[in-house]
Amino acid sequence: MDKYRQILRQYWGYDDFRGIQRDIIESIDSGHDTLGLMPTGGGKSITFQVPALLRTGVCVVVTPLIALMKDQVTHLRAKGILASAIYSGMTHKEIVTTLDNAVFGGVRILYVSPERLASPLFQVKLSHIDVSFVTVDEAHCISQWGYDFRPAYLKIADIRRIKPGVPILALTATATPQVVDDIQEQLGFTQKRVFRMSFERKNLAYVVRQANDKPAELLGILQRMAGSAIVYVRSRKNAKDTAQWLCEKGVAATFYHAGLDPAVKDQRQNDWQHDKVRVMVATNAFGMGIDKPDVRLVVHTDSPDSPEAYFQEAGRAGRDGLQSYAVLLYNSSDRRKLRKRISDTFPEKEYIRTVYDHIADFFQMGVGSGEGTMHEFDIEKFCRSFHHFPIQVDAALKILQRAGYLEYDTDPDNSARLRFLLERDQLYLLERTSPTEEAVIAALLRLYSGLFSDYSFIDESAIAFKSGLGTDVVYQTLKGLSHRRIIHFIPRRKLPAIYYTQPREDGHRLRITPEVYEDRLHSYENRIGSMIDYATNDTVCRSRQLLRYFGETTSHDCGQCDVCRAYATDGSPQGERSATDRLLALLSDRQRHHISELHGLLLPKAQLDAALAHLVAEEQVKVEGAYLSIE
């Protein structure tokens, strides 16, 4: 058995590789810069974990997904593999210890967020680490033309400067031909070297349902189809409202979005992954790095603004290879909503300049000052003060960030911090401490060291678990202890932050170049247009449409999407036979079924209507109000 398969079997228990995994492994193990295009569920992690165990030194993995870091480090350590991660929330001491372990050979795979790459501490330590190769996960984030461009990814080029001879492995599940070229250019590939795995998902049926009443359509689909599901919505409020409505209808659901407390996120994600709740209703903040193979259904009630985002999110269904469905609910108002996102995402340049000036006024910052300063940014208070809307302000700040005038951190390091103001011996002399306060103090002393000499990051959910109290009770108790001057408690920061990378300018002097604005606007318009085309084109196979978007011109009809079901291979309607058979199968239990259950058949409305009319005319099916049954 060769060395690659030997490692694979020893640590993962597989006999052989899948798809292009081996091609990628051999390429990076030979020292070549390599780009791997693999769809969700294609086994990306194997392509860097196997060669990391064969090559000497540390494999540095750059990924924005903290959940993925923690999950993979846990699994790798369980296999006896030396893996560590550096992410927000760690103390300075923890970061230094982890990096020192990497320097002295105690780490084989080191996960790090792209934001950490610019840290002087990380760069100094990196120069002393024997790096085998660098893996860039979610590599499309480095491309200005990618749907999810992140400026922090541009810092990856610093690794090439510090470690010029180290090869780079870039991996992504979503990249158009233009993005493929840009990834290699941005990462400074010595020569182009791309391995492509078809993005076709043979077990995943793509369906677009024309839905005037989206809640009813959603409920019908969930009632008809069994198994774990994700429902993607556009807003945080809609996530909460939809989950509550589904629970009222008897569907076990919870919701998830970026604004929830970390402990709440972890609990809800855990409940869903372990099937304590069936449906996760979420914004696009959910799913990245989540490895649940048995998701049978992904439903979008609001259309994403790019085929890349849709393909990524829909692809979370059926990772176990079994039949699954990705359903987009769409109606006539969605086109207008998608078009409006263009002006929301790219407000006029004059408006961007106005926002820049108003933010400086908000922070009371004069022209020529402010460089290097960081400010917490209460966007709601700002909008009330200067009569702006949050969506446009958020978009303006992101454009200002791309232009280099500031950094806009929408997901700041929000861990709470704490230190004791009393000496350890003085704690035993305290009077009038309640049992709750004593339990919290005891939990702090068991969980954390060094609290008497310096601030440490703390996890309120961990304290709650250790003390047997609720997280709200722990928070209020910590506030009370801080008020009594027993501790100094700094609650986690929930507000975004703005960091000025250069002195404040007059707004009218800002230079917003075509690369920052017009070129990206044009690219965004094209993605919106492609998403509308996908939702409204009912003559071309859905899978074929998506594959063509990603440059696969040899694709074939999938035979299972709503378009393929509605039309035979010769282009003529399949007729009512398929719909008739499926209707009769639904009613075969001889029970009364609500008409909304027809939505779960995932067939075109015209075909269902024709089949139902035929069965009623033949007196095979009886209609009583909103209920159907076999005669």
Side-chain angles (χ1 to χ4, degrees), residues 209 579 583 598-599 601-613:
R209 291 302 301 258
L583 270 169
L598 300 184
H599 305 319
L601 297 176
L602 302 178
L603 288 168
K605 185 175 183 300
Q607 197 173 3
L608 279 172
D609 290 345
L612 181 58

Side-chain angles (χ1 to χ4, degrees), residues 467-595:
S467 63
L469 303 170
T471 52
D472 289 341
V473 174
V474 168
Y475 175 79
Q476 293 300 331
T477 304
L478 291 172
K479 293 276 286 185
L481 290 169
S482 188
H483 183 72
R484 292 180 59 190
R485 303 287 298 164
I486 296 171
I487 63 172
H488 185 210
F489 171 54
I490 304 174
R492 54 188 193 82
R493 180 159 55 93
K494 297 182 180 180
L495 295 175
I498 291 176
Y499 176 82
Y500 278 83
T501 55
Q502 56 182 275
R504 184 227 163 160
E505 296 265 12
D506 263 328
H508 71 274
R509 296 176 63 87
L510 297 185
R511 189 165 175 268
I512 304 173
T513 64
E515 292 80 12
V516 168
Y517 189 88
E518 283 84 2
D519 292 349
R520 289 190 57 79
L521 169 60
H522 180 64
S523 178
Y524 188 66
E525 288 173 333
N526 287 339
R527 290 199 296 273
I528 290 286
S530 296
M531 201 63 226
I532 292 172
D533 289 344
Y534 172 81
T536 57
N537 185 342
D538 58 2
T539 61
V540 178
C541 166
R542 303 288 179 196
S543 177
R544 185 190 285 268
Q545 290 184 56
L546 289 171
L547 295 176
R548 283 180 177 175
Y549 180 83
F550 291 112
E552 292 192 32
T553 57
T554 59
S555 60
H556 55 270
D557 288 351
C558 70
Q560 60 182 347
C561 70
D562 61 301
V563 175
C564 288
R565 286 178 174 177
Y567 292 91
T569 55
D570 62 0
S572 61
Q574 289 182 349
E576 301 161 14
R577 184 69 183 169
S578 174
T580 299
D581 290 344
R582 296 176 71 183
L583 270 169
L584 290 173
L586 171 66
L587 303 175
S588 63
D589 58 4
R590 311 198 75 81
Q591 301 295 316
R592 297 171 77 232
H593 290 259
H594 194 275
I595 198 167

Side-chain angles (χ1 to χ4, degrees), residues 318-504:
R319 294 182 64 174
D320 56 5
L322 301 180
Q323 182 65 54
S324 304
Y325 295 86
V327 182
L328 172 63
L329 302 182
Y330 188 87
N331 60 37
S332 57
S333 67
D334 287 317
R335 180 191 293 266
R336 174 183 53 78
K337 292 176 183 176
L338 281 168
R339 290 292 182 191
K340 186 177 184 300
R341 290 185 204 171
I342 297 173
S343 58
D344 286 342
T345 306
F346 288 88
E348 297 290 336
K349 286 186 176 181
E350 195 55 42
Y351 176 81
I352 297 170
R353 295 185 174 99
T354 298
V355 167
Y356 178 83
D357 282 338
H358 284 174
I359 287 174
D361 293 341
F362 186 63
F363 296 140
Q364 297 184 341
M365 185 185 305
V367 173
S369 65
E371 182 178 12
T373 60
M374 189 275 290
H375 309 265
E376 287 190 346
F377 183 53
D378 187 336
I379 190 169
E380 292 184 3
K381 181 179 179 181
F382 171 79
C383 289
R384 287 196 304 270
S385 300
F386 293 91
H387 308 292
H388 292 296
F389 291 102
I391 290 176
Q392 287 86 351
V393 169
D394 181 77
L397 284 167
K398 288 175 180 175
I399 292 170
L400 288 166
Q401 177 172 255
R402 287 198 296 270
Y405 291 101
L406 51 80
E407 291 182 5
Y408 176 44
D409 185 0
T410 58
D411 188 21
D413 179 1
N414 57 10
S415 297
R417 290 182 292 152
L418 179 148
R419 69 167 294 180
F420 277 98
L421 299 179
L422 303 179
E423 297 296 330
R424 183 183 290 270
D425 292 342
Q426 293 176 294
L427 289 179
Y428 302 109
L429 303 177
L430 288 175
E431 298 179 356
R432 302 188 312 277
T433 53
S434 68
T436 299
E437 289 174 328
E438 290 176 359
V440 169
I441 291 173
L444 286 169
L445 295 176
R446 291 192 191 103
L447 288 168
Y448 306 101
S449 60
L451 290 174
F452 294 94
S453 57
D454 199 0
Y455 288 94
S456 288
F457 289 103
I458 63 168
D459 182 348
E460 292 160 48
S461 60
I463 298 169
F465 179 79
K466 196 74 172 178
S467 63
L469 303 170
T471 52
D472 289 341
V473 174
V474 168
Y475 175 79
Q476 293 300 331
T477 304
L478 291 172
K479 293 276 286 185
L481 290 169
S482 188
H483 183 72
R484 292 180 59 190
R485 303 287 298 164
I486 296 171
I487 63 172
H488 185 210
F489 171 54
I490 304 174
R492 54 188 193 82
R493 180 159 55 93
K494 297 182 180 180
L495 295 175
I498 291 176
Y499 176 82
Y500 278 83
T501 55
Q502 56 182 275
R504 184 227 163 160

Side-chain angles (χ1 to χ4, degrees), residues 38-41 44 138 140-141 147-148 172-174 201 206 232 287-289 298 300 306-317 550:
M38 306 176 73
T40 301
K44 287 190 297 178
E138 307 297 333
H140 59 273
C141 294
Y147 78 100
D148 195 22
T172 182
T174 47
R201 294 287 305 280
Y206 297 100
Y232 281 107
M288 296 292 282
V298 172
H300 283 78
S306 71
E308 292 98 326
Y310 182 70
F311 185 82
Q312 182 87 267
E313 291 163 8
R316 288 166 192 149
F550 291 112

